[in-house]
Amino acid sequence: MPAPVRVAHVLYSFGTGGLEKGIATVVRGASPGFAHTVVCLTGSGASERLLPPATPVVALGKPPGNSPAFLWRLSRVLRRLAPDVVHTRNWSGIDGVLAARLAGLQDVVHGEHGWGMDDPEGSSPRRLRVRRFVQRWVREYTCVSQAMVGWLRREVGVRRPITQIYNGIDALRYRPGPEGQALRETLGIAPNSFVLGVVGRLDPIKDHATLFRAFSRLHAADVGARLLVLGDGPERSRLESEAGEGVLFLGDRREVPELLRVLDVFVLPSRNEGISNTILEAMAAGLPVVATRVGGNPELVQDGLTGALVPPGDALALAAALEHYRAQPEAARTHGEAGRARVLERFAVDRMVASYEAVWARVAARCRRRDGG
């Protein structure tokens, strides 16, 4: 029996987020022919609990800034792990590309999953220059949306193979169900209240502030309406101070699938997105989705069929879309059912796992042919 393909995932941390959840999902669903190690440049975090118990996680405690000494340390870790494939992610993962080069590891896959508020459009000239420079040491690229394929080709100038892979969702775990009514009572929400929800890191790029302005208009017309905010992050204190009436902050919660069943509508007001796990989870839960028309969101939400797409930063348009579903619950139900059907058809976990494993197997085969394995 051939030895498993050893994959080292290099990313900034393993806290709460769609990237981390996606990696954990792939590792949980891995075929017997693959073995995984997670290398965190800084620390691990809440998403480590999503990994199978025996998964090795290496946390390196990187200090702020760029340090040649840290790159050398990371290269030693990679040399010791001796993976067949190093899979780096996002801007911070560029450290992994450089360290793999120092370690003499030539089989690097680089993945792009989205941007942060420090470079929300992926247009920083300095970062683009660095990305263009290091692509010579990347065998293949992965990304999570067709929008990101265009960005890699057009802005970064990537000439290597790019495989676009949508995130996969466990539609048995994320599903509609009657449990929501009991949870509403636990949260102190009336059974007939109109309830919205957003799930995501409390980070400026998610633009909760625009959502709060939109919700304040809806709440003025319907004082029983509630907005549930799931997630945590650096913006929490500021956002709590400006949220207004009817907004409940629930923090990081393990029972997200159950809490989605409390909602009537899911909303995501991001300034930009690569692809959103939370949109797919909400669709799997049978919810209509109101999201901004940015990044990969239009590849998930079919405007007028499974939800509504609005311009980023436009509180009036967002409020109008939410009010539409409040006034027309039958439309909300129909769009939610269509969204779940779309997830079942196109966004299965096994399809995502198979796609990543095909990339790793292809890159590892080059390595083994080169080494005579």
Side-chain angles (χ1 to χ4, degrees), residues 16-351:
T16 301
L19 165 61
E20 296 85 352
K21 186 180 291 184
I23 292 173
T25 301
V26 170
V27 176
R28 283 202 313 273
S31 301
F34 293 83
H36 298 271
T37 300
V38 175
V39 179
C40 304
L41 301 182
T42 55
S44 184
S47 290
E48 186 173 343
R49 69 174 183 255
L50 303 177
L51 292 166
T55 307
V57 177
V58 180
L60 297 178
K62 178 186 178 183
N66 298 311
S67 164
F70 179 79
L71 282 179
W72 183 247
R73 181 183 169 208
L74 176 57
S75 75
R76 293 202 311 270
V77 169
L78 293 177
R79 191 180 297 117
R80 173 176 58 80
L81 293 173
D84 297 298
V85 179
V86 177
H87 196 153
T88 60
R89 299 319 203 286
N90 288 348
W91 169 250
S92 58
I94 298 297
D95 281 358
V97 178
L98 298 173
R101 178 70 176 175
L102 286 172
L105 301 172
Q106 300 181 40
D107 295 289
V108 175
V109 176
H110 183 70
E112 292 286 355
H113 291 246
W115 305 277
M117 205 59 195
D118 51 354
D119 186 20
E121 305 296 330
S123 58
S124 162
R126 181 181 69 85
R127 292 189 177 189
L128 288 173
R129 285 194 300 271
V130 172
R131 282 183 162 112
R132 289 169 189 149
F133 179 78
V134 303
Q135 73 166 295
R136 68 192 67 191
W137 299 315
V138 177
R139 294 283 187 192
E140 297 196 21
Y141 284 79
T142 63
C143 63
V144 292
S145 67
Q146 286 298 317
M148 298 204 79
V149 172
W151 171 76
L152 284 168
R153 293 291 189 206
R154 184 181 60 253
E155 302 298 332
V156 183
V158 168
R159 296 294 176 264
R160 305 291 192 182
I162 302 174
T163 301
Q164 186 263 314
I165 303 170
Y166 286 122
N167 293 341
I169 296 300
D170 182 349
L172 291 177
R173 186 167 181 238
Y174 291 91
R175 56 174 175 75
E179 303 91 334
Q181 285 301 327
L183 273 172
R184 283 189 176 207
E185 184 176 345
T186 300
L187 295 168
I189 299 172
N192 61 345
S193 291
F194 181 63
V195 184
L196 315 173
V198 57
V199 181
R201 181 170 166 76
L202 304 187
D203 183 275
I205 201 164
K206 299 300 183 182
D207 199 14
H208 290 79
T210 293
L211 173 57
F212 295 158
R213 291 196 298 274
F215 180 72
S216 70
R217 300 177 68 87
L218 188 147
H219 190 265
D222 179 1
V223 295
R226 294 292 181 267
L227 170 60
L228 305 187
V229 180
L230 281 76
D232 212 335
E235 292 282 286
R236 179 162 183 169
S237 295
R238 182 181 69 80
L239 291 174
E240 285 181 329
S241 70
E242 61 184 51
E245 296 288 331
V247 180
L248 305 178
F249 284 79
L250 302 185
D252 271 334
R253 303 287 286 262
R254 295 192 180 196
E255 68 273 30
V256 170
E258 293 76 18
L259 287 165
L260 287 174
R261 296 171 201 148
V262 172
L263 308 182
D264 296 298
V265 177
F266 182 83
V267 57
L268 192 70
S270 307
R271 291 284 180 175
N272 207 354
E273 286 284 344
I275 214 77
S276 169
N277 264 12
T278 59
I279 284 179
L280 290 172
E281 290 165 358
M283 289 169 63
L287 295 173
V289 174
V290 177
T292 43
R293 192 184 293 274
V294 298
N297 288 354
E299 297 172 42
L300 306 182
V301 179
Q302 295 175 297
D303 192 22
L305 294 175
T306 66
L309 294 168
V310 300
D314 189 335
L316 292 179
L318 184 55
L322 297 174
E323 173 58 28
H324 168 75
Y325 285 122
R326 187 185 75 88
Q328 299 188 41
E330 183 62 23
R333 184 187 66 78
T334 300
H335 289 181
E337 289 175 353
R340 178 165 173 83
R342 182 166 164 78
V343 167
L344 293 174
E345 178 185 356
R346 297 198 58 189
F347 302 102
V349 169
D350 55 356
R351 177 183 292 191

Side-chain angles (χ1 to χ4, degrees), residues 354-373:
S355 298
Y356 278 112
E357 291 186 347
V359 173
W360 298 327
R362 185 166 59 241
V363 172
R366 293 195 194 106
C367 166
R368 290 177 176 180
R369 284 197 302 267
R370 186 179 62 243
D371 296 340

